[in-house]
């Protein structure tokens, strides 16, 4: 089922929230906060797309009741292949120039986030714009403010996926999230975005917040996805004298950095993307530090 599109001028920002069987997971209250935080934004340059994966537990009816009076909000419910497919479908339905993914148990960090971001997006017109992410404890206190670091993109996600506005046409040119990645397709997308030379802007403010959930049960799958993203990226350079294996890349993930020898090699090849050279220099510095830390049993110094 799909609600009809709104008429009138297209919005600047499309906020996309993927859902599936919220009721059976006991996530009614957290999702209600998503709707409430979007209402407080009072941003007429935005729309909210709720992309549901054909829920079977009453979630669709629950959402319909919640958004009955919500302006600029659309619910689409159709079968999908999981979270990243739902996000891709949400972008297909989006009318905005930029998309922001807001998880079904997250919220925006302040009531003026969208209006402040919209001002910057209109004034500067970047390919993407990012900010920090706030983690709150069960008592509502801020536990961590995860600040973005674009130069860490060769090591980890440089900013949270729910804190970056991406041009819709850029997302589509990159063909969206690769469904071959189970839990870290967002990192693969951002790595490809940087490698392609996309220009970003730091909004210098918190964009989203989430409640502390404890350690992820998907750590092993995250490691595997990061390794696959690096494997594809590194072996794409024809001038490299050797091919690296997924096992090599997996060891780099657990070490926290690519090895010194590889960083030096990448620095020397002409085909390495210019947009990623600042990130490569940061990785090289980290690898050098580890090479001097002889007590570390790491392959980073090889």
């Amino acid at each position: 089922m799909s609600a009809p599109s709104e008429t009138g001028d297209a919005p600047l920002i499309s906020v996309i929230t993927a859902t599936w069987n919220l009721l059976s997971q006991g996530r009614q209250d957290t999702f209600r906060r998503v709707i409430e935080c979007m209402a407080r934004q009072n941003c007429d340059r935005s729309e909210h797309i709720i992309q549901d994966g054909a829920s079977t537990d009453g979630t669709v009816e629950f959402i319909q009741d919640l958004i009955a009076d919500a302006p600029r909000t659309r619910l689409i419910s159709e079968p999908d292949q999981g979270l990243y497919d739902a996000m891709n479908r949400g972008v297909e339905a989006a009318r905005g120039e930029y998309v922001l993914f807001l998880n079904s148990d997250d919220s925006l960090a302040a009531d003026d986030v969208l209006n402040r971001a919209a001002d910057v997006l209109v004034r500067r017109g970047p390919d993407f714009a990012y900010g920090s992410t706030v983690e709150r404890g069960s008592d509502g206190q801020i536990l961590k403010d995860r600040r973005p670091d674009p130069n860490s993109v060769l090591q980890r996600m440089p900013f949270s996926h729910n804190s970056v506005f991406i041009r819709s046409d850029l997302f589509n040119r990159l063909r969206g999230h690769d469904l071959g990645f189970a839990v870290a397709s967002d990192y693969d997308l951002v790595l490809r975005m940087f490698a392609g030379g996309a220009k970003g802007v730091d909004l210098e403010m918190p964009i989203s917040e989430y409640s502390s959930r404890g350690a992820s049960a998907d750590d092993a799958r995250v490691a595997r996805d990061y390794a696959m993203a690096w494997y594809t990226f590194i072996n794409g350079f024809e001038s490299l004298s050797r091919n690296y294996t997924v096992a090599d890349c997996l060891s780099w993930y657990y070490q926290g950095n690519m090895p010194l020898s590889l960083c030096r090699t990448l620095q020397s090849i002409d085909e390495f993307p210019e947009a990623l050279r600042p990130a490569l220099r940061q990785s090289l510095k980290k690898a050098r530090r580890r090479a001097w830390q002889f007590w570390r049993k790491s392959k980073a110094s090889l």
Side-chain angles (χ1 to χ4, degrees):
M1 56 171 281
S2 174
S5 298
E6 296 181 47
T7 58
D9 295 337
L12 176 69
I13 299 168
S14 295
V15 179
I16 297 170
T17 301
T19 63
W20 182 71
N21 282 357
L22 297 176
L23 272 62
S24 61
Q25 300 176 60
R27 296 168 68 178
Q28 300 97 309
D29 289 342
T30 56
F31 183 76
R32 188 176 286 109
R33 287 196 288 271
V34 172
I35 300 302
E36 291 170 352
C37 93
M38 286 298 299
R40 292 194 301 272
Q41 292 297 306
N42 194 28
C43 179
D44 59 10
R45 292 176 287 182
S46 69
E47 68 172 350
H48 189 196
I49 295 175
I50 302 166
Q51 185 73 36
D52 180 75
S55 292
T56 58
D57 64 347
T59 289
V60 171
E61 293 76 14
F62 167 71
I63 295 175
Q64 286 174 329
D65 288 342
L66 278 181
I67 67 173
D69 299 318
R72 302 178 299 277
T73 302
R74 287 187 282 154
L75 168 64
I76 301 168
S77 186
E78 59 188 4
D80 58 47
Q81 299 178 54
L83 176 62
Y84 292 119
D85 187 34
M87 290 178 174
N88 288 348
R89 290 169 180 265
V91 176
E92 288 179 7
R95 298 166 60 236
E97 292 181 42
Y98 291 87
V99 294
L100 172 70
F101 299 104
L102 187 66
N103 296 331
S104 60
D105 52 0
D106 296 341
S107 61
L108 295 171
D111 294 347
D112 60 352
V113 164
L114 294 184
N115 279 313
R116 291 175 64 189
D119 289 342
V120 176
L121 297 175
V122 169
R123 186 172 69 252
R124 302 188 62 178
D127 294 320
F128 63 96
Y130 54 89
S132 61
T133 305
V134 173
E135 178 184 359
R136 292 188 184 275
S138 56
D139 58 357
Q141 296 297 310
I142 295 177
L143 300 179
K144 185 186 300 182
D145 185 357
R146 297 180 57 189
R147 299 185 181 277
D149 179 8
N151 289 339
S152 69
V153 69
L154 292 178
Q155 304 164 41
R156 62 183 183 275
M157 190 74 170
F159 34 67
S160 294
H161 199 201
N162 55 4
S163 292
V164 57
F165 298 84
I166 303 174
R167 275 196 176 275
S168 301
D169 56 359
L170 171 61
F171 185 92
N172 290 326
R173 285 200 306 274
L174 294 171
R175 299 185 178 181
H177 297 103
D178 185 338
L179 303 189
F181 294 88
V183 294
S185 188
D186 47 357
Y187 175 72
D188 168 72
L189 173 69
V190 168
L191 180 58
R192 289 187 284 120
M193 188 170 72
F194 272 73
K199 305 296 184 183
V201 168
D202 187 350
L203 294 170
E204 299 182 348
M205 66 177 182
I207 303 300
S208 65
E209 64 177 44
Y210 67 97
S211 298
S212 177
R213 306 180 184 93
S216 170
D218 288 328
D219 284 349
R221 290 201 295 168
V222 170
R224 181 75 178 181
D225 273 8
Y226 268 65
M228 286 301 300
W230 289 340
Y231 170 80
T232 302
F233 174 69
I234 296 299
N235 288 316
F237 298 112
E238 296 180 357
S239 55
L240 286 182
S241 59
R242 58 161 291 189
N243 288 329
Y244 292 88
T245 66
V246 174
D248 291 329
C249 300
L250 193 60
S251 71
W252 305 341
Y253 176 84
Y254 287 114
Q255 293 158 17
N257 201 61
M258 295 178 184
L260 179 57
S261 59
L262 176 58
C263 290
R264 285 171 170 164
T265 299
L266 293 176
Q267 191 177 45
S268 69
I269 62 177
D270 293 336
E271 61 180 307
F272 192 83
E274 194 63 34
L276 278 175
R277 289 196 178 274
L280 180 59
R281 287 193 290 270
Q282 181 164 302
S283 290
L284 184 60
K285 289 178 182 178
K286 184 174 181 180
R288 281 173 175 160
R289 286 197 303 270
R290 291 196 169 213
W292 284 100
Q293 293 170 343
F294 56 87
W295 59 87
R296 285 182 181 267
K297 293 183 178 179
S298 169
K299 296 180 181 178
S301 62
L302 296 180

